Amino acid sequence: MEAWSVVFFLLGLLLLLGGAELLVRGSSRLAAALGISPLIIGLTVVAFGTSSPELAVSMRGAWTGHADLSVGNVLGSNIFNVLFILGLSALIVPLKVDQRLVRIDVPLMTGASLLLLVMAWDGRLGRLEGGILSSGLLAYIAFAVWQSRRESKKVKAEYAQQFGPPPPTASGALLQIAVAAVGLLLLLVGAQWLLDGSIRIARWAGLSELTIGLTIIAAGTSLPEVATSLIAALRGERDIAVGNVVGSNLFNLLGVLGPTAVLAPGGLQVAPSALLLDLPFVVATALVCTPIFLTAWQIDRWEGGALLLLYLAYVAALLASDGDASNLGYVRYLLIAAPALLAGASLAPSVRARRR
């Protein structure tokens, strides 16, 4: 493997992460200066901004004829967010799920995952499907703005501490616009370099572009979510830690795949391997959130550990199958069923307590 492939990959990843940080910082501070509430900023601007690397990579991949990287990046990021980020955060500190909006967002995330599975079942996401997903994003933003007015004072205070407004000056607003613009430019350049490096690495390692997108690129572009959720968990801002993951997953499904399918020439092709394993696994990981969150409205440490182990098993299966899920045999069904087993284990204590 050429050393330049690794260099391009790492430089592209650094530019993506730096660009995402500048874009989130500039956009959130500008939104705060314009009088948008910290809760809305946290649930939309920040949650969506941390998904901007996925958007940049997927759009670039679709335009350059690498649809497997585009689709794999989104699916892998959603799996990584739920299993790895929530799992690791819960291992650090059990995550309380007290926010009413997050409880509503989880069914929305599950519904969007199921909708994507149905739309992609024919092996393609066309412009009509992309338009439906994009419209869903606009509806979600409007709903989040309306719902935020009913949030508790505790949650509003938590978001105000994290995303409070800066001094509202004209020069400050111009500075934040410039910061966001620089961040966007870095995202575009970083996306191209990351794609170039990852394609060369995939060819050298003999792995499919779908596998690279589901693993290395997905984990790399999800690093902003890792930082946001872990820092929030350490600070005790547990609503932000969970809300960031759920909001980012919704944006990946609606705001990344939707516009990418609309703008990509001929839409997005979905590989048969993704239909066999990865898309059903995205749905399964979304479904498992509801029973875990319902048990005392908390993600316990043992549940976090189980989520992490499930992610490691999924990655091991990907690498063992060499990018073709049909090679997994019955292991594929066990992986898809594993979240249901975890959900049952989470609900069992509550069921036994009610029976007593």
Side-chain angles (χ1 to χ4, degrees):
M1 177 177 57
E2 298 179 2
W4 281 111
S5 301
V6 179
V7 171
F8 265 93
F9 179 86
L10 294 177
L11 285 177
L13 183 58
L14 288 175
L15 288 179
L16 273 177
L17 299 180
E21 173 64 23
L22 292 177
L23 182 63
V24 169
R25 183 178 300 178
S27 301
S28 60
R29 290 181 178 177
L30 179 63
L34 294 175
I36 299 175
S37 76
L39 179 59
I40 295 298
I41 293 172
L43 292 171
T44 57
V45 177
V46 175
F48 296 168
T50 55
S51 289
S52 55
E54 286 91 339
L55 178 60
V57 170
S58 293
M59 292 286 283
R60 193 67 185 177
W63 273 101
T64 54
H66 300 284
D68 282 350
L69 284 174
S70 299
V71 175
N73 175 40
V74 170
L75 301 183
S77 293
N78 275 31
I79 294 169
F80 184 86
N81 287 349
V82 172
L83 299 184
F84 184 87
I85 297 179
L86 282 185
L88 186 59
S89 300
L91 273 180
I92 294 173
V93 56
L95 297 177
K96 289 284 186 182
V97 188
D98 297 327
Q99 184 176 304
R100 182 173 61 246
L101 188 55
V102 171
R103 298 202 298 265
I104 296 173
D105 283 354
V106 170
L108 289 177
M109 177 182 69
T110 304
S113 303
L114 286 168
L115 179 63
L116 176 62
L117 178 62
V118 172
M119 287 180 171
W121 199 248
D122 61 351
R124 180 176 172 274
L125 279 176
R127 288 184 172 174
L128 175 61
E129 290 90 347
I132 294 173
L133 292 173
S134 301
S135 300
L137 176 67
L138 298 178
Y140 168 73
I141 293 175
F143 174 76
V145 172
W146 173 79
Q147 184 70 19
S148 68
R149 300 174 183 175
R150 304 168 59 187
E151 270 302 345
S152 66
K153 292 181 179 179
K154 171 183 173 296
V155 172
K156 290 181 179 179
E158 186 175 301
Y159 276 88
Q161 181 180 358
Q162 181 74 5
F163 309 113
T169 63
S171 59
L174 290 175
L175 175 62
Q176 302 312 323
I177 292 174
V179 169
V182 171
L184 181 60
L185 178 62
L186 292 179
L187 277 173
L188 296 176
V189 176
Q192 182 59 52
W193 289 6
L194 182 72
L195 280 174
D196 289 343
S198 59
I199 290 168
R200 294 176 183 176
I201 292 172
R203 290 171 179 169
W204 170 82
L207 297 173
S208 67
E209 291 184 3
L210 179 62
T211 301
I212 292 292
L214 286 164
T215 54
I216 299 175
I217 296 181
T221 55
S222 292
L223 287 179
E225 285 95 328
V226 175
T228 301
S229 291
L230 288 182
I231 292 173
L234 289 170
R235 290 177 176 174
E237 298 164 344
R238 303 176 188 183
D239 286 303
I240 294 175
V242 179
N244 171 65
V245 166
V246 177
S248 294
N249 275 19
L250 267 171
F251 183 77
N252 286 344
L253 296 169
L254 305 177
V256 175
L257 278 183
T260 301
V262 170
L263 298 176
L268 275 178
Q269 299 298 320
V270 181
S273 182
L275 295 174
L276 287 174
L277 172 62
D278 310 304
L279 252 174
F281 197 64
V282 167
V283 175
T285 54
L287 285 169
V288 77
C289 289
T290 300
I292 288 180
F293 291 1
L294 281 174
T295 53
W297 303 109
Q298 178 171 293
I299 308 175
D300 293 322
R301 281 193 171 94
W302 77 266
E303 291 169 328
L307 291 174
L308 274 177
L309 288 176
L310 185 54
Y311 180 74
L312 295 177
Y314 168 72
V315 172
L318 283 180
L319 298 178
S321 66
D322 196 23
D324 187 356
S326 62
N327 294 335
L328 290 174
Y330 289 109
V331 174
R332 172 166 59 94
Y333 299 106
L334 289 175
L335 275 174
I336 296 174
L341 298 176
L342 175 57
S346 298
L347 287 174
S350 299
V351 173
R352 285 197 298 268
R354 289 178 180 177
R355 286 181 177 177
R356 293 195 190 102

